[in-house]
Amino acid sequence: MRVTITVNGTVESHDVEPRTLLVHYLREAVGLTGTNVGCDTTSCGACTVLMGGESVKSCTVLAAQADGADVTTIEGLARPDGRLHPVQQAFREHHGLQCGFCTPGMVMAITSLLRENPAPTERDVRLGLEGNLCRCTGYHNIVAAALAASADPESRS
Amino acid sequence: MSILGNRVVRREDPKFLSVGGTYVADLDLPGALHLVFVRSSMAHARLASIDTSAAEAAPGVVAVFTHHDLGLAPMETVVGMTPEAMTQPILAAGTVRYVGEPIAALVAETREAAVDAAELVVVDYEPLAAVVDPRVARRDETILFPDAGTNTALTLDMGRDEAMFDGCEVRVQQVIVNQRVAPCPLEVRSAAAFVTPEGRVEFRSSTQAPHGVRDTLARALALEPDDVHVISPDVGGGFGAKATVYTEDIVVGWCARHLGRPVRWTETRSESMLGLGHGRGQVQTATIGGSRDGTITAFDLAVLQDCGAYPGMGTVLPFMTRTMVSGVYTIPKAECSFESVVTNTTPTTAYRGAGRPEAAAAIERMVDIFAAEIGMDPAEVRRRNLIASDAFPYTTPVGTVYDVGEYRRTLDIALDVAGYDELRTEQRRRRDAGDPRQLGVGLSCYVEITNGIPEGEYGSVEVRPDGTVVVRTGTSPHGQGHVTAWSMLVAEQLGVPIEDIEVIHGDTDVVPRGVGTFGSRSLQAGGNAVNQAAIDVVEKAKDIAADLFEAAREDIVLDKSRGVFHVVGTPALARGWAELATAAVAAGGNPLLAEVDLASPGPTFPFGTHLAVVEVDTETGHVTLVRHVAVDDAGRIVNPLLAEGQVHGGVAQGVAQALLEEVVYDGDGNPLTANLADYSFISAAELPSFETLFTETPTPVNPLGAKGIGESGTIGATPAVHNAVVDALAHLGVRHVDMPATPERVWNAIRDAAERKGA
Ligand code: FES
Ligand code: FES
């Protein structure tokens, strides 16, 4: 079946099997491998992307369900002039990543979280990230990065 | 001003943050076939038959292989210590010994086709009795390897000194389960292979040790190391479990050669929970003795190590436990014996700390039990028994020689930062009030060993004619930030900006030799190698500069603030690195390069004190970690940002073991935690932010004065949190709760204590 999705502002149209997951559509059909797969039980959040501006775990969405939608992945988050998004920038400044495998999903999840709650407490951030697992950072610097980014008004965009 | 010791943000990050890393599964391999393994669904069974015909006929399937098709020798023993009769065959040979053991390899044009066809492989099992608990396995009632005649893979018995506890006023014994946990790097195992027209095997692996993969794979496939080229691209975490080669890796390499096409394999998380080695898995019988004034005089630890089905790295880790058995204390008599036995479970391997967290858990739990027994504050008991800072180098009763330590200092800082006295006051208040939310304070004074299996490391520094620098390192980072840290070391010696320094790792053609990244060895071994290469390249540059300036060599100075050489007294006449590198090439055709094969600088012994504060809901058994203070001493800190990151990650994993995580099997060897929905992988919601501090006591063992920092978090945090949970319940009569301190366990411990009191 043919599925058309606007990915990072570009209209992508590909033939896929009906069972194809959005994450595989992004990685294999579109060729954007920034979005990772870390589990097979919807537990880790490594695959988190924005769909219609809200975060979704792209391993639980069929590509067909995303037909016609607007999807943003880590590759599409930076500003058109190449400047990093405030969440990306905060991750760097606060050493919010080590191996980097959880990072695209974490950054997308926090971006969505800050749009919904522009001034979260530490507890809000921790509860909001419950579905995004990281094995390297102990979450300490990820939470610090999220809180720092929330102070930047641009992080809502 | 020195760049070392500064919070330099990572040079690695922009790529990860903008387009994501390039992991093995991200590699573009045109025409690659997809390999999927058919795995055992039984813990222990004879394989009566394996029918692959339907799978072979399925659409898209290229081939299905079982053990006999491969004709490969079994996996090697671990450093020659584990029995030949217990080595793992490449694909199960007649018998399966754990759920998840690979039985057949199926190769298809697409991943979907491979997954679908794998369902069609029919395995006829003849079930055998399964042994899950090492305490049962050691009885040899059901034997996993009839040729071995026993389930015991390795023992170390130094002969018990029966008199060691003579004269002790107090003697307490406790059986402590250091439970099996899953390492869970966020990237699962993944490998890919293809053969070049020249017949060379190109191998891509999510590994911590690419050169080890090259050599092991070459031996397994009867090739020369030069016939194999391994690249580890970005690696999504390893934690020890990716330091060794797995049977699946060898099958990937074999299939690529046999089929003449690229082959790729990425396991699912559910496979990874069964296939990637597990960590820990010790049953410890610990005995502590001393006097009522708080002096500890004897400690004995008998370890029963669970090897899982095939003795691997986990089998030999009790050597590390033994090395660190007496911890930070001046205990005159201490001993550790062990027995490692096979069970019908996933093989155990190194996991962050690898044998040392088990040692720290045992001694630190027992010090608390001893303190409770004599009614003394656990901080005071520790203070009375710590090795004094003027006693180094210090030789322990088992012969370990500690380099340097300021143990008392980290304890004092931790108590001070945490506000220990106030915490105890608040604890008393809650106890007196009968508050359902009780407070617990847990301490752990630890010492550990890094670069414990002393190996050297390769490092080189080359200055290119354009003045940029390329560093090659035998370490293989997967999140540790070596690109940033090694750049800092070289910038410091050469006086060039870190932006002009490229660091190459993880490619066995470009980096000729290497050991890898595990055991918290990288800065000590690899960092010192790179540092020495940088020093050497400066010396070589001075030779060239002396020629160019027609001056005496000893008059040449490097002005690091400008990155230029000049003759002493005439700084205006200076030549930069580009000129010298160009001159080097012009003179002899050789690049301006220094290579170092650093002999092992020997192990070091990082130490510290962790203090955990927990709240325990005595009505539900639920434990909340409220604060965690970590005071660590890893010697000289090159980059505090990176060092803290290492502590954070390790602490989280330590807390996870203390409170949440456990790999569980039922009595038939069926895994009950075989995916991330069932395994309690710790999340952000279950943790506080941490309070991390460092003291810096440089080690005399290596020129940088650096010790390892990668594993101190799990070593220090686990017992601190564990002790805090028991401390919260001490007044209720609870003396010990095994890890993980789940609500059910805690609640049961409270109830049992109440019943004992009532009885
Ligand atoms: S891969 Fe989607 S939640 Fe884990
Ligand atoms: S940085 Fe490695 S899993 Fe988060």
Side-chain angles (χ1 to χ4, degrees):
Chain A
M1 64 185 293
R2 194 142 194 96
V3 171
T4 304
I5 304 174
T6 304
V7 181
N8 301 331
T10 305
V11 178
E12 295 278 350
S13 203
H14 299 274
D15 279 319
V16 295
E17 284 190 48
R19 62 171 162 173
T20 302
L21 299 170
L22 176 58
V23 67
H24 292 134
Y25 182 92
L26 295 170
R27 290 177 53 85
E28 285 153 27
V30 185
L32 293 175
T33 56
T35 307
N36 292 321
V37 176
C39 75
D40 45 8
T41 50
T42 328
S43 308
C44 76
C47 62
T48 306
V49 299
L50 302 183
M51 188 162 113
E54 281 184 27
S55 69
V56 293
K57 291 184 173 177
S58 62
C59 72
T60 57
V61 179
L62 292 170
Q65 290 172 298
D67 195 24
D70 227 315
V71 168
T72 308
T73 69
I74 189 75
E75 290 95 337
L77 194 61
R79 303 307 186 205
D81 64 2
R83 266 186 316 131
L84 293 180
H85 182 275
V87 174
Q88 293 170 310
Q89 192 57 38
F91 262 66
R92 179 150 198 230
E93 278 158 24
H94 292 268
H95 188 29
L97 64 154
Q98 290 182 29
C99 80
F101 200 82
C102 72
T103 310
M106 282 287 180
V107 167
M108 301 318 281
I110 291 169
T111 302
S112 164
L113 185 135
L114 293 182
R115 282 182 192 168
E116 281 166 35
N117 180 359
T121 62
E122 176 177 344
R123 195 74 209 135
D124 293 339
V125 171
R126 288 186 175 275
L127 290 174
L129 292 181
E130 201 167 4
N132 286 79
L133 300 177
C134 172
R135 202 54 159 175
C136 301
T137 65
Y139 307 101
H140 181 105
N141 285 338
I142 290 176
V143 173
L147 292 172
S150 73
D152 184 336
E154 262 195 65
S155 67
R156 262 83 91 191
S157 55
Chain B
M1 213 193 77
S2 172
I3 190 173
L4 302 185
N6 286 295
R7 304 176 72 84
V8 176
V9 297
R10 289 210 315 182
R11 304 183 58 209
E12 289 89 335
D13 291 356
K15 173 188 75 171
F16 287 110
L17 286 166
S18 53
V19 294
T22 304
Y23 306 94
V24 172
D26 299 338
L27 297 172
D28 189 22
L29 291 170
L33 299 169
H34 292 259
L35 192 155
V36 160
F37 290 92
V38 176
R39 295 175 183 276
S40 176
S41 59
M42 299 215 62
H44 197 193
R46 246 186 302 279
L47 296 174
S49 66
I50 308 167
D51 183 356
T52 59
S53 52
E56 278 164 31
V61 171
V62 173
V64 186
F65 302 110
T66 60
H67 175 75
H68 294 292
D69 300 320
L70 306 183
L72 294 171
M75 295 297 279
E76 297 166 339
T77 60
V78 178
V79 290
M81 281 187 177
T82 53
E84 289 281 356
M86 294 184 180
T87 49
Q88 181 168 11
I90 315 294
L91 299 179
T95 304
V96 286
R97 295 184 176 86
Y98 65 97
V99 173
E101 181 169 355
I103 294 175
L106 192 150
V107 185
E109 296 290 345
T110 65
R111 187 186 54 235
E112 290 76 12
V115 170
D116 289 349
E119 301 279 321
L120 303 175
V121 173
V122 181
V123 181
D124 186 11
Y125 298 94
E126 286 172 5
L128 298 167
V131 192
V132 178
D133 188 326
R135 287 167 285 202
V136 176
R138 82 189 310 180
R139 299 205 293 258
D140 282 343
E141 287 157 6
T142 296
I143 294 205
L144 269 67
F145 299 90
D147 289 349
T150 173
N151 289 327
T152 299
L154 187 66
T155 50
L156 181 78
D157 189 350
M158 304 305 288
R160 263 180 82 89
D161 173 9
E162 291 301 335
M164 78 187 284
F165 292 96
D166 286 359
C168 289
E169 281 179 338
V170 180
R171 172 185 172 158
V172 209
Q173 189 170 75
Q174 178 69 47
V175 175
I176 302 169
V177 177
N178 201 289
Q179 84 273 25
R180 178 186 278 255
V181 290
C184 292
L186 214 61
E187 183 206 14
V188 294
R189 292 178 299 168
S190 190
F194 60 96
V195 181
T196 66
E198 298 75 41
R200 221 166 163 234
V201 176
E202 290 287 341
F203 199 75
R204 308 291 175 262
S205 174
S206 178
T207 181
Q208 302 173 227
H211 294 85
V213 171
R214 175 192 67 187
D215 297 350
T216 307
L217 196 66
R219 286 195 301 273
L221 300 177
L223 299 168
E224 292 300 316
D226 277 352
D227 297 332
V228 179
H229 174 208
V230 176
I231 296 177
S232 65
D234 291 321
V235 173
F239 310 109
K242 289 184 185 165
T244 46
V245 173
Y246 287 86
T247 56
E248 288 95 332
D249 296 311
I250 291 166
V251 176
V252 170
W254 184 90
C255 284
R257 290 190 79 209
H258 186 79
L259 298 170
R261 288 183 61 183
V263 172
R264 71 189 316 159
W265 162 67
T266 302
E267 65 182 352
T268 64
R269 175 62 65 180
S270 296
E271 286 181 283
S272 191
M273 296 305 283
L274 307 175
L276 185 78
H278 292 159
R280 317 284 187 256
Q282 289 189 359
V283 181
Q284 306 172 325
T285 305
T287 316
I288 194 164
S291 45
R292 296 216 167 263
D293 68 359
T295 313
I296 302 167
T297 50
F299 182 65
D300 180 69
L301 185 65
V303 172
L304 180 62
Q305 171 72 49
D306 186 351
C307 310
Y310 296 96
M313 193 56 76
T315 309
V316 300
L317 294 180
F319 280 115
M320 283 299 180
T321 308
R322 180 174 189 276
T323 300
M324 301 313 302
V325 66
S326 54
V328 290
Y329 307 108
T330 52
I331 307 178
K333 291 183 226 162
E335 195 38 92
C336 174
S337 57
F338 69 81
E339 181 174 3
S340 300
V341 298
V342 289
T343 58
N344 291 114
T345 59
T346 296
T348 53
T349 193
Y351 171 54
R352 205 164 197 169
R356 295 105 78 202
E358 295 89 326
I363 183 73
E364 287 307 294
R365 190 75 271 285
M366 291 310 289
V367 167
D368 262 34
I369 287 178
F370 177 76
E373 190 71 21
I374 62 171
M376 190 177 280
D377 184 284
E380 184 55 28
V381 173
R382 285 178 171 78
R383 206 177 275 125
R384 287 186 187 202
N385 292 281
L386 290 178
I387 299 165
S389 47
D390 60 2
F392 294 91
Y394 180 87
T395 304
T396 74
V398 294
T400 310
V401 184
Y402 297 167
D403 52 350
V404 63
E406 289 256 18
Y407 302 159
R408 176 70 186 262
R409 193 161 154 232
T410 62
L411 173 62
D412 288 343
I413 293 173
L415 296 176
D416 187 47
V417 167
Y420 188 70
D421 295 338
E422 294 79 35
L423 287 168
R424 287 290 177 207
T425 306
E426 170 64 9
Q427 181 180 56
R428 254 193 313 279
R429 192 192 64 72
R430 293 199 197 185
R431 285 182 178 179
D432 293 346
D435 196 318
R437 291 188 73 78
Q438 287 294 322
L439 200 68
V441 184
L443 276 170
S444 150
C445 296
Y446 74 89
V447 58
E448 66 128 336
I449 176 170
T450 60
N451 202 27
I453 305 162
E455 284 177 291
E457 192 52 278
Y458 172 88
S460 75
V461 175
E462 178 181 342
V463 184
R464 296 189 185 108
D466 65 359
T468 62
V469 179
V470 55
V471 177
R472 298 178 185 86
T473 177
T475 63
S476 196
H478 38 285
Q480 292 83 354
H482 295 178
V483 170
T484 301
W486 289 191
S487 299
M488 290 169 72
L489 295 174
V490 172
E492 173 76 4
Q493 296 296 346
L494 270 58
V496 300
I498 60 171
E499 294 74 26
D500 288 354
I501 301 167
E502 180 190 358
V503 178
I504 299 177
H505 58 80
D507 182 323
T508 63
D509 273 6
V510 182
V511 183
R513 295 173 290 284
V515 178
T517 290
F518 48 84
S520 303
R521 65 186 304 278
S522 293
L523 180 57
Q524 271 172 267
N528 272 296
V530 166
N531 187 53
Q532 188 58 50
I535 292 168
D536 291 356
V537 93
V538 170
E539 293 306 311
K540 287 193 172 182
K542 283 184 179 170
D543 290 339
I544 300 163
D547 283 350
L548 291 181
F549 287 119
E550 296 179 356
R553 193 189 176 288
E554 53 275 19
D555 290 339
I556 304 293
V557 289
L558 166 61
D559 176 354
K560 289 185 186 176
S561 67
R562 294 186 291 155
V564 295
F565 292 82
H566 60 81
V567 179
V568 65
T570 55
L573 281 174
R575 299 205 184 229
W577 280 104
E579 288 170 273
L580 296 182
T582 305
V585 173
N590 290 324
L592 180 48
L593 163 73
E595 288 184 281
V596 169
D597 283 291
L598 194 78
S600 169
T604 65
F605 296 84
F607 60 88
T609 298
H610 285 214
L611 187 151
V613 183
V614 300
E615 268 183 3
V616 180
D617 185 328
T618 51
E619 287 166 359
T620 63
H622 186 84
V623 179
T624 308
L625 178 66
V626 188
R627 287 178 70 189
H628 192 90
V629 178
V631 186
D632 296 295
D633 193 312
R636 173 111 169 264
I637 304 284
V638 171
N639 183 336
L641 197 64
L642 300 181
E644 284 166 12
Q646 287 299 308
V647 173
H648 295 154
V651 167
Q653 285 170 319
V655 177
Q657 184 178 10
L659 298 182
L660 294 166
E661 296 185 13
E662 180 174 29
V663 171
V664 184
Y665 289 90
D666 73 11
D668 296 324
N670 298 305
L672 304 179
T673 48
N675 57 52
L676 286 188
D678 294 332
Y679 186 75
S680 306
F681 190 127
I682 198 162
S683 79
E686 289 144 329
L687 288 165
S689 288
F690 309 126
E691 298 159 66
T692 51
L693 296 97
F694 291 106
T695 59
E696 293 191 50
T697 312
T699 177
V701 169
N702 63 65
L704 288 175
K707 310 169 200 167
I709 190 62
E711 294 159 293
S712 62
T714 54
I715 295 162
T718 313
V721 177
H722 190 192
N723 281 340
V725 174
V726 181
D727 180 67
L729 309 174
H731 65 298
L732 303 175
V734 174
R735 195 176 80 158
H736 181 75
V737 183
D738 264 325
M739 300 189 294
T742 57
E744 187 187 349
R745 282 225 176 99
V746 170
W747 192 86
N748 281 329
I750 295 169
R751 188 203 50 197
D752 292 350
E755 280 174 9
R756 271 199 308 274
K757 270 190 178 171

